[in-house]
């Protein structure tokens, strides 16, 4: 078992109490074992008096590969700062996404971080937070200024919407498809998760751009990218999508399960393995798997982008400081916080990542407290610096 995930159990046993909880919250000191609805983590008091601060997390899943990594670093930050954190798993189902914000507000959260599935959901989320004077920040997501101009303006005008922490998804998509093209793959199958999801659309844009640039430069050696099969956010969905793509194209030599938390990727890999095509079909994706090093070694993965589970940590710090009154005057501004991906395409690449992001968290409690004391410009700088090299340098002090 991955060492990072072993630590989840130990942390939960040491830092939480497992109690029942009603649909709209419950007492501020409770947690529930059923994170598919909601969960709050009790944390010990820190040096500052933060015991009455509660931050909500609206997430697609706090138990899948990426979601559990996000939960681990957020729980550690909550412990270090002495605040409460409550999770609602909404599966990227639109009505559940909007309901999650209402639920977290009803549970007494003064601030919320959200990974929504589409820009349209943010209209309700921002209104709910405005009406209840609750701070809001996005993670892994940003409202499109061009495609959702009205919603972007609503966010900009809000005194409670802080901003968005997100990755450059078109660049991510292009980098991943280039890994396949450079390995000689030309018939690429594509698996999406939810139609209309802004992050998915950004990655798809990048995959298409990478293939188009390749074909322009190599007219006698063109590549094709399939229309996407949609998998949702489940392993079963990823498996069925991969099977459909393999059946549709007997010459398929690569797959891109675009994301969705890691479970669709696992299903796609399993389908390729069942078909006996592990050595024939290269797979790249986003969201590091716990056994990625082994999969890069045995060829079941050709490359991956990920290591970005600290993205919600930055959003968490933004909301924390807003609640504390350290960050103010949000109306008229949209704080855009880019966050870097890490890329690996070999087992050796993964070893350094594993040392500083898997075997241990990339930040100590002392560093998390220090991060919470940065001004917003300093926090943005800290976000931009996240890398294997940065984690190694801090660990070596």
């Amino acid at each position: 078992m991955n060492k990072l995930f072993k630590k989840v159990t130990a942390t939960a046993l040491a830092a939480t109490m497992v109690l029942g909880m009603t649909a709209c919250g419950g007492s501020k000191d409770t947690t529930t074992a059923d994170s598919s609805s909601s969960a709050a983590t009790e944390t010990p008091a820190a040096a500052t008096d933060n015991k009455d601060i509660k931050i909500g997390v609206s997430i697609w899943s706090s138990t899948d590969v990426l979601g559990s990594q996000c939960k681990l670093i957020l729980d550690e930050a909550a412990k270090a700062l002495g605040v409460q954190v409550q999770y609602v798993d909404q599966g990227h189902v639109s009505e559940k996404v909007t309901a999650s914000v209402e639920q977290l507000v009803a549970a007494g959260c003064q601030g919320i971080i959200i990974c929504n599935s589409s820009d349209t959901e943010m209209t309700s989320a921002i209104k709910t937070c405005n009406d209840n004077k609750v701070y809001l920040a996005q993670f892994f997501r940003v409202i499109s200024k061009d495609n959702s101009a009205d919603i972007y303006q609503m966010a900009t005008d809000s005194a409670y919407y802080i901003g968005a922490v997100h990755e450059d998804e078109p660049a991510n998509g292009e980098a991943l498809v280039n890994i396949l093209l450079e390995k000689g793959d030309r018939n690429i199958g594509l698996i999406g998760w939810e139609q209309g999801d802004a992050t998915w659309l950004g990655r798809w844009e990048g995959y298409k751009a990478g293939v188009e640039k390749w074909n322009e430069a190599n007219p006698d050696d063109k590549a094709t990218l399939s229309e996407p099969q949609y998998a949702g956010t489940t392993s079963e969905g990823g498996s069925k999508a991969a099977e459909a793509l393999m059946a549709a194209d007997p010459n398929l030599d690569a797959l891109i399960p675009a994301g969705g938390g890691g479970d669709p990727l696992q299903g796609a890999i399993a389908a390729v393995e069942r078909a006996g095509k592990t050595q024939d079909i290269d797979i790249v994706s986003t969201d590091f798997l716990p056994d990625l090093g082994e999969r890069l070694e045995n060829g079941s993965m050709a490359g991956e982008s990920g290591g970005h589970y600290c993205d919600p940590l930055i959003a968490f710090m933004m909301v924390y400081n807003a609640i504390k009154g350290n960050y103010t005057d949000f109306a008229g501004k949209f704080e855009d916080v880019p966050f870097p991906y890490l890329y690996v395409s070999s087992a050796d690449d993964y070893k350094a990542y594993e040392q500083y992001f898997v075997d241990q968290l990339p930040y100590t409690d002392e560093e998390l407290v220090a991060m919470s004391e940065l001004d917003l410009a300093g926090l943005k700088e800290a976000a931009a610096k996240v890398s294997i090299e940065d984690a190694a340098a801090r660990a070596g002090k």
Side-chain angles (χ1 to χ4, degrees):
M1 182 183 290
N2 183 290
K3 296 175 185 176
L4 181 59
F5 293 99
K6 288 181 180 178
K7 188 174 177 183
V8 174
T9 303
T11 302
L13 290 173
T16 66
M17 297 172 61
V18 180
L19 298 170
M21 185 173 178
T22 62
C24 286
S27 77
K28 292 184 179 179
D29 300 326
T30 62
T31 187
T32 175
D34 180 14
S35 63
S36 62
S37 57
S38 61
T41 301
E42 181 187 351
T43 52
T48 53
D49 184 12
N50 289 327
K51 65 180 182 295
D52 292 330
I53 292 178
K54 182 190 268 188
I55 297 174
V57 182
S58 172
I59 189 170
W60 71 96
S61 170
S62 59
T63 59
D64 71 0
V65 178
L66 178 59
S68 59
Q69 290 176 316
C70 294
K71 184 177 187 299
L72 188 63
I73 191 67
L74 292 175
D75 284 350
E76 194 67 23
K79 178 171 73 71
L81 300 177
V83 304
Q84 302 167 62
V85 60
Q86 178 161 326
Y87 297 86
V88 176
D89 290 7
Q90 23 84 341
H92 277 167
V93 176
S94 283
E95 57 267 28
K96 292 183 179 179
V97 173
T98 55
S100 70
V101 178
E102 297 168 2
Q103 180 177 339
L104 290 166
V105 167
C109 296
Q110 300 104 318
I112 296 169
I113 65 172
I114 183 170
C115 180
N116 55 294
S117 65
S118 69
D119 286 353
T120 55
E121 296 155 1
M122 294 305 296
T123 300
S124 173
I126 294 167
K127 184 180 186 305
T128 298
C129 288
N130 284 348
D131 290 347
N132 292 277
K133 299 181 179 180
V134 171
Y135 294 104
L136 180 66
Q138 292 174 273
F139 65 98
F140 296 146
R141 295 291 185 270
V142 64
I143 299 168
S144 173
K145 189 174 183 178
D146 297 324
N147 300 330
S148 305
D150 291 346
I151 304 171
Y152 185 92
Q153 190 61 50
M154 181 185 184
T156 302
D157 293 341
S158 170
Y160 292 93
Y161 177 89
I162 305 171
V165 186
H166 64 100
E167 290 67 37
D168 185 340
E169 297 300 352
N172 173 39
E174 191 167 339
L176 286 174
V177 83
N178 282 336
I179 291 174
L180 295 175
L181 295 169
E182 288 164 9
K183 286 180 178 288
D185 300 312
R186 298 295 180 265
N187 300 291
I188 305 168
L190 182 57
I191 300 174
W193 65 97
E194 298 290 347
Q195 296 187 52
D197 182 285
T199 293
W200 146 246
L201 293 174
R203 290 180 192 169
W204 190 11
E205 178 186 332
Y207 306 141
K208 289 186 287 189
V211 170
E212 288 169 5
K213 289 177 183 178
W214 173 270
N215 289 343
E216 287 175 7
N218 301 275
D220 297 326
D221 186 24
K222 289 188 174 182
T224 61
L225 179 70
S226 79
E227 288 299 307
Q229 290 280 330
Y230 288 96
T233 57
T234 68
S235 177
E236 181 183 9
S239 180
K240 289 181 177 178
E243 289 170 354
L245 288 165
M246 287 188 289
D249 183 1
N251 296 317
L252 191 78
D253 56 12
L255 276 175
I256 307 176
D263 284 358
L265 170 59
Q266 291 181 315
I269 291 172
V272 171
E273 289 175 340
R274 286 195 303 272
K277 294 185 175 182
T278 298
Q279 302 307 315
D280 303 319
I281 296 178
D282 288 328
I283 299 176
V284 297
S285 186
T286 298
D287 305 336
F288 284 173
L289 295 177
D291 58 351
L292 179 56
E294 297 169 24
R295 293 198 172 280
L296 288 165
E297 189 79 55
N298 66 29
S300 57
M301 285 294 298
E304 193 155 20
S305 60
H308 54 310
Y309 67 85
C310 290
D311 170 315
L313 171 66
I314 303 301
F316 188 89
M317 293 294 185
M318 290 162 65
V319 165
Y320 167 80
N321 274 288
I323 295 169
K324 295 284 286 184
N326 299 330
Y327 298 173
T328 58
D329 301 324
F330 300 113
K333 294 187 294 186
F334 189 113
E335 298 294 350
D336 191 299
V337 186
F339 196 89
Y341 274 118
L342 305 179
Y343 294 89
V344 298
S345 57
S346 71
D348 286 341
D349 288 348
Y350 186 73
K351 284 177 184 175
Y353 170 79
E354 186 175 39
Q355 181 176 354
Y356 297 109
F357 286 78
V358 178
D359 294 346
Q360 63 190 45
L361 290 172
Y363 297 102
T364 65
D365 282 5
E366 292 75 15
E367 287 171 329
L368 289 168
V369 171
M371 182 185 291
S372 76
E373 296 169 350
L374 295 172
D375 62 17
L376 192 50
L379 187 62
K380 288 182 178 181
E381 184 179 344
K385 283 173 57 179
V386 173
S387 66
I388 295 169
E389 294 76 17
D390 175 62
R394 285 185 287 101
K397 288 181 179 178

